Amino acid sequence: MSTRRLVLTQSAALISAASTTLLLPEIARAQSNKIRVGLMLPYTGTFAQLGVAIENGFRMAIAEQGGKLGGREIEYFKVDDESEPSKGIENASKLVQRDKVDVLVGTVHSGVQMGIHKVARDSGVLSLIPNAGVHAATRSQCAPNVFRTSFSNSQPTRALGQAMVAKGHKKAVWITWKYAAGDEAFEGFKESYTAAGGTIVKELGLPFPNVEFQALLTEIASIKPDAVACFFAGGGAAKFMRDYAAAGLKDKIPLYGSGFLTEGVLEAAGPAADGVMTTLHYSDSLNTPRNQAFRLAYAKMFRLQPDVYAVQGYDTGLLLVQGANAVKGDLANKPALYKALESATIDSPRGKWTMSKSHNPVQDIYLRVVENKENKVLGVASKALADSGAGCKMA
Ligand code: PHB
C-alpha cells in the first residue's frame, strides 16, 4: 500500500471512529429501543396515596401486556411533584429535556398540571393526565398531544345537585380548598343544584392543603343549612370527615361531596364517613365481572384495595396500550397514534368510556353512599356525561 493511501485509510478510520463516538448515545438509545415513560406524580404530601394508586394501576395494565408497549420494553423515569404548582414546569422539563421521555403520565393536582401542560404544548410530548381535572387542559388550552383519562373538575359535581334536591335538601353550604379543582367542582355543583331548585346559601373555602377546618365548621353550625356539599381529597378529605363528625354536625346536617371525598380514605376516616353520599365516575361495588376481576387482581398484586385513582392509572395504561399497539410501538408516528387514542373505547372497571373531541372521558357518573368502609353504588346519576370542552380548538 502506498504511503498516501495508508494515510487516507487511517484518516478515514479516524473519522469513522470519531463519528461513532459522537453518535453513540443516539445509537445506544435506538438500540435499547425502550419506550421511555415519565411518571410525574405526588409521592409526598396530602395526595401521596393518590400518586401511588395511579402508578400501581398504570403498572398493572402494562403488566397485563407482559410488561411491554406495542412490543417494546419500557423504561420508567419518576419525579415526585409534591403537589407543588410552583415546581410544575421545572419538574416536567426534567422528564422531557433531561430524561427524554416519550410519554409523560401525570398528575393529580390541577395547578401542577398546568405546568405539565405548558411543557407538553411547547415540546409536543405525549401527555396523559391520570387525574387532575383542570378545565383548561381539555377546554380553552386543549391540544392534540394531551389526553385525559380521568374527569374534568366539574363532571362529578354536575350530577350531585339533582341527587341532593331529590333528598329534600333545598339549602346548601358549599365548602372546598380554594384552587382550580375546588372552584371548578363548584361550577358543576352550582349548575346542577340551582337547576334542580336548590339555593346555595354560603360558599366557604380555605387554601390548599390547609386542614384547619374548625372555624368553618363553627360557621356551618350557625348557618344550619339543609346539607353541606364539598370537594376535598386524600389525607385532607379524611380529616374533614372526622372533624365534621367530631363537631357534632354529622347527624344534623347531611354531608355530600364530589366522590373524591370518600376515595382511598375510608380506613382513615372510620365511622365518620358512614352515610356520606357522593357522585363519581367509579364505585367499589360496581357489580360487573370487569370491576370484580380488576379489584381481585389489584388486591393480589399490591395487597391494597383499589380506589378511583387506581382505576384512572389503570385506564391510562389501557389507553397507552391501545395507542402503542395501533402504531406497533412507534410512538413517533403521531398522526396514527393520536387517531388511535381519540377513537379508543376503554373497557374500564368503571364501565366502558370513550374520548370526547376535546380528549376527556365521556362516562357515567354514579351516586354512591359509604357503608361499612365501602362506596356502595346507588345508581347512575348521569349517563354518558361529557364535559362541554368549551373553547377547545385543536391546533
Ligand atoms: C385536582 O387538583 O385536579 C384534583 C386533585 C385530587 C382529586 C381530584 C382533583 O381527587
Side-chain angles (χ1 to χ4, degrees):
M1 194 185 284
S2 74
T3 317
R4 201 178 121 78
R5 245 185 96 200
L6 182 65
V7 168
L8 276 178
T9 315
Q10 275 176 345
S11 56
L14 274 177
I15 287 165
S16 101
S19 51
T20 308
T21 316
L22 282 177
L23 285 176
L24 251 182
E26 279 304 312
I27 289 170
R29 246 182 72 202
Q31 278 171 350
S32 85
N33 203 27
K34 288 187 176 166
I35 293 186
R36 300 162 82 87
V37 175
L39 298 176
M40 178 159 156
L41 292 165
Y43 294 106
T44 51
T46 202
F47 289 159
Q49 268 188 44
L50 286 58
V52 170
I54 288 168
E55 178 175 346
N56 287 349
F58 183 83
R59 285 184 185 264
M60 186 169 135
I62 303 296
E64 286 175 0
Q65 304 296 311
K68 291 191 174 174
L69 270 174
R72 289 170 64 189
E73 303 274 345
I74 299 173
E75 188 168 0
Y76 287 98
F77 299 84
K78 281 171 63 163
V79 168
D80 174 10
D81 69 36
E82 305 164 43
S83 295
E84 180 47 65
S86 68
K87 298 183 190 165
I89 292 179
E90 187 190 330
N91 281 329
S93 300
K94 273 187 203 156
L95 289 169
V96 173
Q97 310 298 342
R98 181 192 66 192
D99 301 329
K100 309 233 176 313
V101 298
D102 299 299
V103 48
L104 213 164
V105 175
T107 189
V108 169
H109 185 286
S110 276
V112 180
Q113 194 68 46
M114 290 316 288
I116 294 182
H117 201 64
K118 177 168 178 13
V119 173
R121 281 173 37 123
D122 290 352
S123 66
V125 75
L126 175 62
S127 162
L128 304 181
I129 311 175
N131 186 76
V134 61
H135 284 168
T138 59
R139 289 192 186 178
S140 59
Q141 295 187 38
C142 72
N145 57 318
V146 177
F147 294 82
R148 182 150 51 203
T149 57
S150 49
F151 55 89
S152 76
N153 280 327
S154 57
Q155 240 178 340
T157 41
R158 211 166 281 281
L160 184 61
Q162 173 82 43
M164 288 173 65
V165 172
K167 288 272 175 192
H169 307 313
K170 294 264 181 63
K171 288 200 165 83
V173 165
W174 169 260
I175 179 167
T176 190
W177 278 316
K178 290 295 293 173
Y179 79 107
D183 294 341
E184 292 174 355
F186 179 66
E187 181 185 309
F189 174 63
K190 186 176 169 189
E191 192 185 292
S192 63
Y193 193 61
T194 53
T199 305
I200 299 163
V201 291
K202 185 94 187 180
E203 281 176 65
L204 298 171
L206 70 173
F208 174 88
N210 192 321
V211 289
E212 298 309 316
F213 299 118
Q214 211 47 56
L216 298 170
L217 294 174
T218 304
E219 200 172 340
I220 290 171
S222 74
I223 296 170
K224 297 192 180 61
D226 297 342
V228 168
C230 69
F231 166 84
F232 292 108
K239 177 153 193 308
F240 181 71
M241 287 188 284
R242 286 199 309 266
D243 288 3
Y244 195 86
L249 295 176
K250 182 172 160 45
D251 299 324
K252 294 192 198 126
I253 307 171
L255 179 61
Y256 289 79
S258 184
F260 305 108
L261 180 68
T262 59
E263 288 295 315
V265 298
L266 294 179
E267 282 298 330
D274 281 340
V276 172
M277 281 178 124
T278 62
T279 43
L280 198 67
H281 47 284
Y282 179 64
S283 179
D284 307 338
S285 74
L286 285 177
N287 192 11
T288 59
R290 184 74 178 107
N291 186 43
Q292 283 159 356
F294 166 78
R295 295 193 69 83
L296 202 64
Y298 187 95
K300 254 189 175 167
M301 195 160 176
F302 303 108
R303 307 266 152 228
L304 283 172
Q305 288 302 315
D307 54 22
V308 73
Y309 308 107
V311 171
Q312 291 167 180
Y314 183 69
D315 288 5
T316 306
L318 295 184
L319 179 71
L320 187 56
V321 164
Q322 285 200 25
N325 284 345
V327 295
K328 300 193 172 53
D330 179 14
L331 297 192
N333 183 356
K334 291 185 176 178
L337 176 64
Y338 298 164
K339 195 158 170 256
L341 298 176
E342 272 165 357
S343 56
T345 295
I346 301 299
D347 185 12
S348 166
R350 72 180 96 165
K352 285 195 174 137
W353 61 267
T354 55
M355 265 308 162
S356 72
K357 282 205 171 66
S358 56
H359 299 178
N360 189 71
V362 178
Q363 57 192 339
D364 295 348
I365 307 290
Y366 305 98
L367 178 64
R368 313 112 42 91
V369 64
V370 177
E371 261 177 47
N372 302 324
K373 300 196 174 162
E374 195 188 31
N375 285 295
K376 283 255 153 65
V377 68
L378 296 174
V380 174
S382 189
K383 186 91 196 134
L385 185 65
D387 187 74
S388 71
C392 169
K393 286 193 196 76
M394 289 290 169

